[in-house]
Amino acid sequence: MHNAKIDHQERFFGIITVIYQYLTELAQELIGDFHICLWEFVMAIWNHVKAKLNKDSTWFLSSLAAYGSAELLVRVIRIVAVIVIARAVSPEIMGLAALSLSLFELVRVLANAGIGQKIILASASQLPATANTAHRLFWIWCMLVAIVQLCVAALLHIAFEQTDAALMLAVLSAVYLFMPGGLVQVFLLMRDGKMATTARIAASQTIADHLLTMIFVILWPSAWAIVLPKLLTAPIWLIAVRRARSWKYNAAKGTAPARYFVTFSLGVLGSEMLTASRMHLDKLVVGSVLGVKALGIYYFAFNAGLGITTSFVTAFSTILFPHLCEVKDGVQRLQRYRRSFFLGAVIFFPLILAQAAFAPIYVPLVFGQQWNDAAPLVSILSLAAIPIFFGAANTAWLRASGRISADLMIVAFTTSATLLYFALGAQMSLQMAVIGYVLGLVTNFIPISILIFRHAHQQLRIQYSSQQESLI
């Protein structure tokens, strides 16, 4: 009995010794010399990880790193901007700017009509004609969106007597004059896989926006100082994308039929509008139920918490869609989806949880004691990025698979549930409203994501079995 126990101990320590030797050899392989600097050590680890990944995963991680680094720089500047704004203006001024910008973002989502995504999906032979038609549709559609925004501004002035907010909204409609001239180039860059370029352009515009906002707020503490930079930085984006990707309308290449865009665009537009409703109507609910001061607090908490984390999720979704569209085989597409989802979750989830955990510490320390009451809201809203990550993956998969109507129904159901829970919570308190918001996302996006993955796996298994039977 005693000898058997000794044998087990020897086997155990033998296994530990083997593991230790393996880790030592791995460390020596990675480091080579124990006196190399920390940067070389990190690069050695990255090269070792990259060697274990296939080409697709390496490209995805590289693109994610490009967007992530750009977003990280933007977030740092944005945090500084939020600090300056929070210390320079009152919650009432913040609430007025929030009303104008929320309506602007809500109307601007109409520009995301899925026209450009058809450029990504088009075959090489269809691309010139598709780009020509998309260019014309971009101009028509953006002008219509500008008219809609002017009408909303007029309604805000006449029906609600919000003259300042209406004037801001009307001025921001000029943004749509700059968009059509560069949208084709942007989607061609995405089709070409040049995610690092699009990331740098977007980051440059956003950083310029935040820098101008800080300067204006210091010199002119008002809601206009927060709103005007959105318009003044639009030319930066247009010039940058036109330099990054050359393209000109070529009538000789013909045009694609408009019906080629209609079905897909309507589904994407509906989904984007519902998503924007979920992201912005909550602020209108807070303003109408709890007042402008509560809206200012909520707007701050949203930007300091969910606004930061969802920017990374948006980068993930932006990269995932063209990554999935690149392959037509269902099995390969599912493999890409699984690997990309896992890599994104491993990177983002720890960051999201860390932000939620440390919000009570860094919010009053960084932004000032006047925002101390917003710290619990920041923590709760940060957690909402996890189900939003699931929802972004769902949308990319369904759109790449051509199932636009399914994506629309999922987003419609989730948006309705989330806003309902939010409105019910707002009847009690701002914190209960935020809890309802997160609850609506968690109870819909995560279970639906699991069902979508299972359905895709079963469909591919049936397809594979049918192919095997036909070969017999």
Side-chain angles (χ1 to χ4, degrees):
M1 190 76 168
H2 181 69
N3 292 334
K5 185 176 182 180
I6 292 176
D7 291 339
H8 285 303
Q9 290 177 347
E10 289 177 350
R11 289 179 183 176
F12 174 77
F13 286 112
I15 293 171
I16 294 298
T17 302
V18 172
I19 294 174
Y20 175 77
Q21 290 175 348
Y22 171 76
L23 293 176
T24 303
E25 292 172 358
L26 178 61
Q28 290 174 348
E29 177 186 349
L30 293 173
I31 301 175
D33 185 357
F34 288 102
H35 298 286
I36 64 174
C37 66
L38 179 61
W39 173 250
E40 291 173 338
F41 175 67
V42 171
M43 290 305 298
I45 292 177
W46 164 245
N47 290 331
H48 182 78
V49 171
K50 189 166 67 172
K52 302 295 183 181
L53 297 173
N54 58 25
K55 183 179 178 181
D56 295 335
S57 297
T58 302
W59 178 88
F60 185 81
L61 274 180
S62 300
S63 300
L64 203 57
Y67 261 91
S69 59
E71 285 293 339
L72 183 61
L73 180 59
V74 167
R75 292 311 114 193
V76 172
I77 302 297
R78 184 171 186 171
I79 288 173
V80 176
V82 172
I83 293 172
V84 173
I85 294 171
R87 293 181 180 275
V89 303
S90 64
E92 287 78 11
I93 293 177
M94 185 86 80
L96 180 60
L99 177 61
S100 302
L101 292 177
S102 296
L103 289 172
F104 169 63
E105 294 294 340
L106 192 59
V107 174
R108 191 168 66 168
V109 76
L110 293 173
N112 301 328
I115 298 171
Q117 293 185 5
K118 292 299 289 183
I119 295 176
I120 298 175
L121 286 168
S123 63
S125 61
Q126 295 174 328
L127 182 59
T130 301
N132 283 342
T133 304
H135 178 70
R136 294 167 59 183
L137 292 176
F138 279 138
W139 272 105
I140 295 171
W141 192 251
C142 286
M143 293 306 99
L144 289 174
V145 174
I147 293 172
V148 169
Q149 183 160 313
L150 289 172
C151 292
V152 173
L155 180 64
L156 195 62
H157 169 66
I158 296 171
F160 299 96
E161 298 182 352
Q162 293 284 348
T163 304
D164 290 337
L167 186 57
M168 293 176 196
L169 197 60
V171 170
L172 286 175
S173 64
V175 168
Y176 304 108
L177 297 175
F178 297 95
M179 292 176 63
L183 286 173
V184 171
Q185 287 86 341
V186 167
F187 286 102
L188 286 173
L189 286 169
M190 294 176 65
R191 177 188 173 91
D192 296 340
K194 296 181 179 179
M195 295 300 178
T197 303
T198 58
R200 285 195 300 269
I201 293 171
S204 299
Q205 182 190 7
T206 307
I207 290 171
D209 180 358
H210 293 327
L211 291 176
L212 277 178
T213 300
M214 286 188 283
I215 294 171
F216 286 178
V217 163
I218 293 171
L219 299 177
W220 181 29
S222 65
W224 279 100
I226 303 173
V227 171
L228 271 181
K230 311 297 179 188
L231 172 61
L232 298 178
T233 56
I236 296 175
W237 173 85
L238 179 60
I239 294 170
V241 295
R242 291 179 70 89
R243 286 183 176 179
R245 182 62 159 84
S246 61
W247 178 87
K248 290 183 178 180
Y249 183 90
N250 188 350
K253 298 295 183 179
T255 57
R259 63 178 182 274
Y260 176 69
F261 293 84
V262 172
T263 304
F264 186 87
S265 297
L266 288 177
V268 172
L269 179 61
S271 178
E272 293 292 336
M273 288 180 64
L274 289 166
T275 300
S277 299
R278 189 186 73 241
M279 297 296 290
H280 298 289
L281 287 181
D282 54 345
K283 300 173 185 64
L284 299 182
V285 172
V286 172
S288 61
V289 176
L290 299 175
V292 176
K293 184 176 180 178
L295 174 59
I297 295 172
Y298 179 72
Y299 185 73
F300 164 80
F302 192 92
N303 282 283
L306 188 58
I308 294 174
T309 51
T310 51
S311 63
F312 292 101
V313 177
T314 301
F316 167 79
S317 178
T318 302
I319 297 167
L320 182 59
F321 175 72
H323 188 53
L324 296 177
C325 290
E326 193 177 5
V327 293
K328 304 302 179 183
D329 181 71
V331 175
Q332 293 181 1
R333 181 178 292 167
L334 182 60
Q335 290 174 345
R336 282 193 175 190
Y337 174 78
R338 292 171 61 182
R339 285 194 299 264
S340 302
F341 184 93
F342 175 76
L343 290 172
V346 168
I347 294 171
F348 294 135
F349 286 7
L351 297 176
I352 293 169
L353 294 175
Q355 183 181 1
F358 292 107
I361 298 174
Y362 72 77
V363 167
L365 182 64
V366 174
F367 300 106
Q369 291 295 326
Q370 62 174 323
W371 298 103
N372 190 45
D373 294 339
L377 304 180
V378 174
S379 293
I380 298 169
L381 285 169
S382 298
L383 295 175
I386 293 178
I388 290 175
F389 176 87
F390 280 85
N394 295 343
T395 294
W397 170 260
L398 291 172
R399 289 182 183 178
S401 304
R403 300 170 61 193
I404 306 300
S405 58
D407 176 52
L408 178 60
M409 288 189 292
I410 291 170
V411 175
F413 187 78
T414 303
T415 299
S416 300
T418 301
L419 291 178
L420 175 61
Y421 295 163
F422 184 84
L424 292 175
Q427 304 300 320
M428 292 177 277
S429 67
L430 185 57
Q431 185 166 339
M432 289 302 298
V434 169
I435 292 173
Y437 187 91
V438 177
L439 186 63
L441 294 172
V442 170
T443 55
N444 287 278
F445 273 148
I446 295 178
I448 289 173
S449 181
I450 296 172
L451 291 175
I452 288 175
F453 178 76
R454 287 183 176 178
H455 176 74
H457 188 73
Q458 290 173 356
Q459 290 295 111
L460 291 175
R461 181 181 294 178
I462 293 171
Q463 179 182 347
Y464 178 77
S465 299
S466 300
Q467 291 175 351
Q468 292 298 315
E469 290 177 359
S470 62
L471 294 174
I472 298 174

